[in-house]
Amino acid sequence: MVQLQRFAALLLVGAMGFALTACDTDDEGSDEQVDEEVDTTQEDDEDDEPRHGGTLRVALSSDPGLLNPAATTSGAVHFATHLMFNGLVDLDENLEPVPELAEEWDVEEDGALYRFHLRDDVVWHDGEPFTSEDVRFSFEEVLLDLHSRTAASVGGALDRIETPDDHTVEFHFDEPYAPLLQQLDVGEAAIVPQHVFEGADSIEEHPGSTEEPVGTGPFRFVSYEPDSEIILERNPDYFEEDLPYLDEVLMRIIPEDASQVAALEAGEIDYLARVPNADRDRLADDPNIEILETFRGAGAVNCPMTMTFNLDRPTLQDVDVRRAIAYAIDREAVVDQVLFGHGLVPEAPLHSGMTWAHPGDLDLPGYDPDQAAQLLEDAGWVLEDGEDVRVAQGVDGVDDGTALEISFLAFPTFSEYGELLRSQLAEVGIDVTVEALEPPAFIERVFTERDFDTNIISFCQGPDPEVGVRRQIASDQIGDTPFSNAAGYENERVDELLDEGLSTVGTDERAEIYREMQEILVDELPYYWITEPIFSVAHTDRCEGFVPFNQYAEAAFCDEE
């Protein structure tokens, strides 16, 4: 809990636009460090006054290919396009909804009806007025068909959308639907123009998605050169008074991490959305670079690195074996050695960024190799004299003498997790084979062939369990859909609790429902939650005013070069 309190303080400072020039993992030093930063910032108030003009240069790690955030959940597309679009709401630093295209809303019929009152001063970048029909079209023709998270969650519960007038839109559900307000920001539900796309044979192939995007956001499209750059310019008709400050945003596509960092240090770019952990402390020591920290990113929020147990495998069907593996993993060491200290050790199945639903007192196994060894011994996995790997003796479904050998699949970028876990599990007599697979091969092995024992996935949970947790644990999510229920986990009570959480309106009541769900997950361990990475955003001191959220540059400003 101390770690969480410390990070909450850092998030608050980051949200206020203050610079974090150091990040000490020592809890005792954190409060003092924040106070120092506030004092320093106050001294520089005059230099931090927003001013109009200037160009922000941003690094993109890959070519987005598509320029429509409503038509995909791809993080690359979302980071490249969020500044051009809006949602009905945005989510603040606490993931609470705040007005964006909708200036206010009513929740009626116990949560089965949401009525949004839209701003009447919004125009699309091509000058056409924004109306409630754009919202209806965006959901019915784009989001509920092409945006997999919104389609899987909202799409299964929504009855109809009505537009009583140009500036009112109503969402009608068959039953109370609690999480809607957390699913309407630009990442989950970007609003796109009906007049551009109406009648299109393919939304994804339409020029409005590939060559000439039209949004309502603070910046409007100028040009796109694949594998090179995207240029945006200030939207002079933006609905937020006096924003944006910048004249232009230049996004340069720089695929290699090392090249991105080198470009930042050389002053060739001003903003890097993901700092490699190995470079983070060095950049924080650079007087010309400032760091923000966040659990959020384009198209993703609250993403614990999660170990999956394949429950189809006889070896892993015994919960005591799964619990022994959990006890054998030193997660503090993983945070230190893989994340270079820039992360937290999970205390519950739900991410700590989901504060309202995150209990801090669950009995999630911690590092205890002696307990791990005892559990394995009691489960029939014995360590014979002179041997390093345990073998089966009387284990159901496993031939006697079978070695305790398991595979561990990971994306190449996560293979360091596998190497460290292999050495830790070897200490208790488990032989781990690590396989680093590119995403298409990983998806095929895990979700189609189910040819694995364990793996690790960055399972983004979103701002609400309904956004990213249901797909991971609900019985009806077992199948070949990528990043669904990888464990093959089935529990009737968990399914009931997910449905109760979906239809219950009231934060305290929902928290109690999700607490019971998490207690079951901790007891049965279909997954084990290894780390909660903290993402570091870096920018040069030439530019200020960022927030580590969707509209990261809406209020940013830069000195002239």
Side-chain angles (χ1 to χ4, degrees), residues 1-12:
M1 184 58 72
V2 172
Q3 279 186 312
L4 178 59
Q5 292 170 338
R6 171 184 170 276
F7 184 60
L10 295 180
L11 268 180
L12 177 60

PDB file of all heavy atoms in Angstrom, residues 1-12:
ATOM      1  N   MET A   1       0.824  -1.206   0.000  1.00  0.00           N
ATOM      2  CA  MET A   1       0.000   0.000   0.000  1.00  0.00           C
ATOM      3  C   MET A   1       0.859   1.257   0.000  1.00  0.00           C
ATOM      4  O   MET A   1       0.516   2.277  -0.604  1.00  0.00           O
ATOM      5  CB  MET A   1      -0.917  -0.013   1.227  1.00  0.00           C
ATOM      6  CG  MET A   1      -1.881   1.179   1.252  1.00  0.00           C
ATOM      7  SD  MET A   1      -2.927   1.274  -0.225  1.00  0.00           S
ATOM      8  CE  MET A   1      -4.011  -0.105   0.064  1.00  0.00           C
ATOM      9  N   VAL A   2       2.028   1.170   0.679  1.00  0.00           N
ATOM     10  CA  VAL A   2       2.923   2.326   0.682  1.00  0.00           C
ATOM     11  C   VAL A   2       3.346   2.671  -0.731  1.00  0.00           C
ATOM     12  O   VAL A   2       3.383   3.823  -1.139  1.00  0.00           O
ATOM     13  CB  VAL A   2       4.150   2.032   1.559  1.00  0.00           C
ATOM     14  CG1 VAL A   2       5.175   3.152   1.416  1.00  0.00           C
ATOM     15  CG2 VAL A   2       3.720   1.887   3.008  1.00  0.00           C
ATOM     16  N   GLN A   3       3.636   1.622  -1.523  1.00  0.00           N
ATOM     17  CA  GLN A   3       4.032   1.859  -2.901  1.00  0.00           C
ATOM     18  C   GLN A   3       2.926   2.583  -3.648  1.00  0.00           C
ATOM     19  O   GLN A   3       3.172   3.510  -4.406  1.00  0.00           O
ATOM     20  CB  GLN A   3       4.312   0.535  -3.600  1.00  0.00           C
ATOM     21  CG  GLN A   3       5.685  -0.028  -3.308  1.00  0.00           C
ATOM     22  CD  GLN A   3       5.918  -1.245  -4.157  1.00  0.00           C
ATOM     23  OE1 GLN A   3       5.062  -2.122  -4.219  1.00  0.00           O
ATOM     24  NE2 GLN A   3       7.041  -1.300  -4.816  1.00  0.00           N
ATOM     25  N   LEU A   4       1.666   2.140  -3.453  1.00  0.00           N
ATOM     26  CA  LEU A   4       0.543   2.731  -4.165  1.00  0.00           C
ATOM     27  C   LEU A   4       0.372   4.185  -3.783  1.00  0.00           C
ATOM     28  O   LEU A   4       0.162   5.056  -4.626  1.00  0.00           O
ATOM     29  CB  LEU A   4      -0.729   1.938  -3.852  1.00  0.00           C
ATOM     30  CG  LEU A   4      -2.018   2.445  -4.491  1.00  0.00           C
ATOM     31  CD1 LEU A   4      -1.878   2.460  -5.999  1.00  0.00           C
ATOM     32  CD2 LEU A   4      -3.180   1.589  -4.054  1.00  0.00           C
ATOM     33  N   GLN A   5       0.467   4.488  -2.481  1.00  0.00           N
ATOM     34  CA  GLN A   5       0.329   5.864  -2.039  1.00  0.00           C
ATOM     35  C   GLN A   5       1.409   6.729  -2.674  1.00  0.00           C
ATOM     36  O   GLN A   5       1.153   7.855  -3.098  1.00  0.00           O
ATOM     37  CB  GLN A   5       0.405   5.921  -0.514  1.00  0.00           C
ATOM     38  CG  GLN A   5      -0.805   5.272   0.154  1.00  0.00           C
ATOM     39  CD  GLN A   5      -0.608   5.108   1.631  1.00  0.00           C
ATOM     40  OE1 GLN A   5       0.521   5.080   2.115  1.00  0.00           O
ATOM     41  NE2 GLN A   5      -1.712   4.974   2.352  1.00  0.00           N
ATOM     42  N   ARG A   6       2.621   6.183  -2.733  1.00  0.00           N
ATOM     43  CA  ARG A   6       3.712   6.944  -3.318  1.00  0.00           C
ATOM     44  C   ARG A   6       3.436   7.232  -4.785  1.00  0.00           C
ATOM     45  O   ARG A   6       3.582   8.361  -5.248  1.00  0.00           O
ATOM     46  CB  ARG A   6       5.016   6.157  -3.182  1.00  0.00           C
ATOM     47  CG  ARG A   6       6.149   6.784  -3.959  1.00  0.00           C
ATOM     48  CD  ARG A   6       7.392   5.927  -3.873  1.00  0.00           C
ATOM     49  NE  ARG A   6       8.365   6.419  -4.814  1.00  0.00           N
ATOM     50  CZ  ARG A   6       8.377   6.095  -6.091  1.00  0.00           C
ATOM     51  NH1 ARG A   6       7.456   5.284  -6.571  1.00  0.00           N
ATOM     52  NH2 ARG A   6       9.273   6.585  -6.901  1.00  0.00           N
ATOM     53  N   PHE A   7       2.962   6.208  -5.522  1.00  0.00           N
ATOM     54  CA  PHE A   7       2.737   6.438  -6.943  1.00  0.00           C
ATOM     55  C   PHE A   7       1.560   7.374  -7.177  1.00  0.00           C
ATOM     56  O   PHE A   7       1.570   8.173  -8.102  1.00  0.00           O
ATOM     57  CB  PHE A   7       2.495   5.117  -7.670  1.00  0.00           C
ATOM     58  CG  PHE A   7       2.367   5.318  -9.142  1.00  0.00           C
ATOM     59  CD1 PHE A   7       3.409   5.876  -9.870  1.00  0.00           C
ATOM     60  CD2 PHE A   7       1.199   4.991  -9.799  1.00  0.00           C
ATOM     61  CE1 PHE A   7       3.304   6.078 -11.227  1.00  0.00           C
ATOM     62  CE2 PHE A   7       1.088   5.198 -11.161  1.00  0.00           C
ATOM     63  CZ  PHE A   7       2.136   5.732 -11.870  1.00  0.00           C
ATOM     64  N   ALA A   8       0.535   7.302  -6.314  1.00  0.00           N
ATOM     65  CA  ALA A   8      -0.583   8.236  -6.451  1.00  0.00           C
ATOM     66  C   ALA A   8      -0.085   9.667  -6.339  1.00  0.00           C
ATOM     67  O   ALA A   8      -0.519  10.560  -7.059  1.00  0.00           O
ATOM     68  CB  ALA A   8      -1.644   7.949  -5.386  1.00  0.00           C
ATOM     69  N   ALA A   9       0.859   9.902  -5.429  1.00  0.00           N
ATOM     70  CA  ALA A   9       1.422  11.245  -5.291  1.00  0.00           C
ATOM     71  C   ALA A   9       2.156  11.654  -6.556  1.00  0.00           C
ATOM     72  O   ALA A   9       2.036  12.783  -7.029  1.00  0.00           O
ATOM     73  CB  ALA A   9       2.378  11.280  -4.100  1.00  0.00           C
ATOM     74  N   LEU A  10       2.898  10.735  -7.137  1.00  0.00           N
ATOM     75  CA  LEU A  10       3.623  11.059  -8.364  1.00  0.00           C
ATOM     76  C   LEU A  10       2.664  11.346  -9.496  1.00  0.00           C
ATOM     77  O   LEU A  10       2.866  12.269 -10.284  1.00  0.00           O
ATOM     78  CB  LEU A  10       4.540   9.891  -8.739  1.00  0.00           C
ATOM     79  CG  LEU A  10       5.673   9.595  -7.766  1.00  0.00           C
ATOM     80  CD1 LEU A  10       6.495   8.417  -8.273  1.00  0.00           C
ATOM     81  CD2 LEU A  10       6.557  10.808  -7.578  1.00  0.00           C
ATOM     82  N   LEU A  11       1.570  10.551  -9.591  1.00  0.00           N
ATOM     83  CA  LEU A  11       0.587  10.790 -10.642  1.00  0.00           C
ATOM     84  C   LEU A  11      -0.013  12.175 -10.517  1.00  0.00           C
ATOM     85  O   LEU A  11      -0.195  12.885 -11.504  1.00  0.00           O
ATOM     86  CB  LEU A  11      -0.535   9.750 -10.547  1.00  0.00           C
ATOM     87  CG  LEU A  11      -0.384   8.490 -11.372  1.00  0.00           C
ATOM     88  CD1 LEU A  11      -1.592   7.597 -11.129  1.00  0.00           C
ATOM     89  CD2 LEU A  11      -0.247   8.806 -12.840  1.00  0.00           C
ATOM     90  N   LEU A  12      -0.331  12.580  -9.278  1.00  0.00           N
ATOM     91  CA  LEU A  12      -0.933  13.885  -9.077  1.00  0.00           C
ATOM     92  C   LEU A  12       0.018  14.975  -9.543  1.00  0.00           C
ATOM     93  O   LEU A  12      -0.370  15.910 -10.239  1.00  0.00           O
ATOM     94  CB  LEU A  12      -1.274  14.071  -7.597  1.00  0.00           C
ATOM     95  CG  LEU A  12      -1.859  15.438  -7.222  1.00  0.00           C
ATOM     96  CD1 LEU A  12      -3.146  15.662  -7.992  1.00  0.00           C
ATOM     97  CD2 LEU A  12      -2.086  15.520  -5.733  1.00  0.00           C
TER      98      LEU A  12
END
